[in-house]
Amino acid sequence: MDHSWSVARKGDKQKMKKLWITLMSAFAILITLEWNDMSQVRAEGLREEAVRIAAAEVGYHEKETMDDLYDHTANSGDKNYTKYAVDLCVAYGQPWGATFFWWVMAQAGVPREAFPNYVSATTDWFRERNAYYDRGTYTPQPGDYAVLGNVANCGIVESVTETEVTVIAGNRGDSNAVTRFTVSLDDEYIKGYGVIDYDYVYQPTSLDFNDNYCAMLFKTSVGKYYRNYQGEPVLWSEFNRADYKWLFKKQTDGTYMIQSLYDGKVLEVKDAGTTRASVVTLGEIQTENNDHQKWYIMSFGVGHRLIPKNATNFCLDIYGENDGTTMQIWQHHEGMSQMTTFSPVDYVQLDEINIKLSYKEKIDVGETQILGYRLSPEDASANMVSWVSSDDSVATVDESGIVTAKKEGTVTITCKSTYDSSVFDEITIEVKKSSTEDDTDNTEDSKDTENDSTTEEKGDSTQKQEETTEQQDSTTEEKEESYDSTESEEIKVVKKGTVISSKKCRFVVTNVKKKTVKVTGVSDKKATTIKIPATVKYEGKTYKVTSIGKNAFKNNKKIKSVTIGNNVTTIEDNAFRGCKKLRTVIIGKNVTSIGKNAFYDCSKLKTIKIRTTKLKKVGKKAFKKIHKKAIIYTPKKVKKKYQKLFQDKI
């Protein structure tokens, strides 16, 4: 790295002062509320959030074509193409003043029932609700809907003094942009104000299912099921086993806990979050303050919505379609990302697990044997097991029930239900010294002699071997789990979507012919250092790692440093968003695109080393909310270019 620049912000002291005042105000609000009334906690601050979002858009210019929609000024024109229409899925190329206001409300997470969802300015919506006031009959407040001119445009009130009002509006007059203007309170340009119900709280009534209702949950639009993958709910291709099955447990208040038949954990809003994009995860069942684990089930289209009790203005939302896509909550909208289809399945309780008796009670050091098991009843819904050795130094057992003897001794092997650990079976195996072990020393001596004779010959390749060790370590193969591990042979067919796991990361095949994969997340949840290799090996073939998928490491609480390999060209949206402990990132030599929010809210990220000179795109908020004294290192010849590219992204 030849050069760098600091990204320290101006006005940090003033911001900290404002933050302190905001926090103290929020605390004062919180202590006046019931602890479990989380929807009301969420309602506080929506008005301020809406004003803040609108202010950040000032200067955005409509586009001549559909290109560069998310850039503030690029491709400026007068053809009414905007990101606001795209995000809201409304018609392009028409006046967009009301669309801008609607977009601000949606971005802030204001309930859809609390504001007019129209693409043209309106007073009727407010009049029907007795919430409209003509100019001069009402003192406006920040966040109010301002009707402008000949009622053909509107904006959002940013601030008010005794004599003036400041409004932010889109597509006003001939501006073709988002602008801020200030006029007197009695200026005829202001026709009136609509009052937004920022305190609106949706009160759902849940559908009523039978006790122990069991179903597979399906995202219709992409044909994928909800899966409990390594303790997290994600979107995945269909495969009918316990980690795809969910048990609905009815609560006394009419809501449901939605429990995975894989490990018994329940769907919950992480950290009891009540803000837009709060992550939906899996947690141990709580008996108190557990509204974030309770869900209303509502009809929606031909499917259902899952609405958390602690934040009823939101519902479960899945943005994306790839295997491994994570879940979140989002304000209600009509999009398919919020529709869940239920595929009911019979719930059959697991009573017993029996390890088959056809196993060897005594095995030699170095020997392996495969253990099998039977479930009772055989069609039990919770049909997945785990294997445990009482002493790995004597013998290990893998996830398929393969026992490997290590040294002399006695070991207990346990097979237990992943859903209910009280259902298990166990056996005892004695490991004996191999009859051929006495000859080991002589064999090793001969090997040492042979190795000595080739040391000089191998010397030149030592450095290359060391350089590839890390890459080779990350190419372990993922074996498909089976219901009955007596099947010792598996036929693996590599196709698009095939999952490959290494020691720390997991990958998914993106192109079989070109042999490419992308990183989709971690396989070692305790890993603090992530090194994304240039290639991985699977089934005897080498695959290039060309991208880091959407949400791949989002909200990871362990990662401290990341090195991105030289075959990676794309870092997708939200790839490392919310990695609170991430401090250092090294970006490889061929990265051309960094998606929006890729490193957003990585609050400790202080060192960013960019080795690529090919970077062409940095998405919106890609590096927002990183360490205020962060330093970006770049090749000297692209410093100026990158400073411009990173503008407004930090």
Side-chain angles (χ1 to χ4, degrees), residues 127-354:
R127 292 182 191 278
E128 291 169 1
R129 294 161 177 78
N130 295 317
Y132 181 76
Y133 300 89
D134 290 320
R135 180 189 69 256
T137 64
Y138 166 75
T139 301
Q141 301 296 313
D144 283 349
Y145 184 98
V147 181
L148 310 175
N150 60 357
V151 196
N153 207 338
C154 62
I156 182 171
V157 175
E158 181 180 27
S159 61
V160 181
T161 68
E162 291 183 359
T163 59
E164 295 180 327
V165 58
T166 299
V167 177
I168 298 170
N171 201 29
R172 185 174 67 95
D174 296 327
S175 67
N176 300 324
V178 178
T179 57
R180 174 191 285 114
F181 67 94
T182 301
V183 296
S184 66
L185 286 170
D186 59 0
D187 193 303
E188 293 184 357
Y189 183 61
I190 304 288
K191 295 300 180 183
Y193 303 95
V195 178
I196 303 297
D197 185 3
Y198 286 100
D199 294 326
Y200 180 90
V201 176
Y202 181 62
Q203 297 294 341
T205 301
S206 186
L207 297 175
D208 189 10
F209 293 129
N210 297 327
D211 291 339
N212 286 333
Y213 177 81
C214 188
M216 296 175 69
L217 308 181
F218 188 65
K219 185 178 179 186
T220 311
S221 58
V222 297
K224 292 182 184 292
Y225 281 81
Y226 298 4
R227 179 187 178 190
N228 179 346
Y229 181 71
Q230 297 183 344
E232 295 294 335
V234 296
L235 206 62
W236 214 275
S237 301
E238 180 181 359
F239 193 93
N240 188 11
R241 59 184 187 185
D243 51 351
Y244 289 81
K245 296 177 183 177
W246 304 88
L247 190 63
F248 289 71
K249 294 191 170 182
K250 190 171 183 179
Q251 307 299 298
T252 56
D253 57 8
T255 62
Y256 288 85
M257 283 190 172
I258 304 173
Q259 186 177 37
S260 169
L261 283 178
Y262 169 61
D263 59 9
K265 293 181 178 180
V266 294
L267 278 181
E268 68 173 26
V269 182
K270 188 175 182 181
D271 300 325
T274 56
T275 58
R276 194 172 71 109
S278 291
V279 174
V280 174
T281 184
L282 287 164
E284 302 292 343
I285 295 177
Q286 295 177 215
T287 57
E288 296 180 356
N289 297 325
N290 59 0
D291 282 357
H292 64 295
Q293 294 186 335
K294 294 180 179 179
W295 300 82
Y296 294 101
I297 313 301
M298 302 289 293
S299 294
F300 176 51
V302 295
H304 301 84
R305 270 183 176 149
L306 305 181
I307 299 174
K309 185 180 179 182
N310 73 309
T312 57
N313 295 333
F314 298 83
C315 58
L316 187 143
D317 187 289
I318 305 177
Y319 181 76
E321 59 185 36
N322 296 320
D323 282 0
T325 297
T326 55
M327 302 178 189
Q328 61 189 1
I329 58 173
W330 205 269
Q331 69 268 27
H332 304 167
H333 61 72
E334 303 305 316
M336 293 289 287
S337 64
Q338 295 186 353
M339 190 174 82
T340 299
T341 302
F342 291 4
S343 299
V345 295
D346 292 333
Y347 175 67
V348 180
Q349 181 174 313
L350 174 64
D351 295 325
E352 290 184 335
I353 295 175
N354 295 294

Side-chain angles (χ1 to χ4, degrees), residues 360 363-371 386-415 427-431 479:
K360 296 168 65 175
I363 59 177
D364 293 339
V365 172
E367 188 178 351
T368 63
Q369 70 166 317
I370 301 175
L371 301 179
S386 63
W387 294 89
V388 180
S389 167
S390 62
D391 189 344
D392 284 341
S393 67
V394 175
T396 60
V397 60
D398 69 8
E399 61 184 12
S400 298
I402 300 176
V403 177
T404 302
K406 298 293 187 180
K407 71 175 185 179
E408 287 184 282
T410 301
V411 66
T412 299
I413 303 297
T414 302
C415 179
I427 59 172
T428 300
I429 294 176
E430 181 183 348
V431 178
K479 296 183 178 180

Side-chain angles (χ1 to χ4, degrees), residues 143 182-183 272 325 428 469 489 498 521 542 582 613:
T182 301
V183 296
T325 297
T428 300
T469 297
E489 294 183 1
T498 295
T542 300
L582 182 60
T613 58

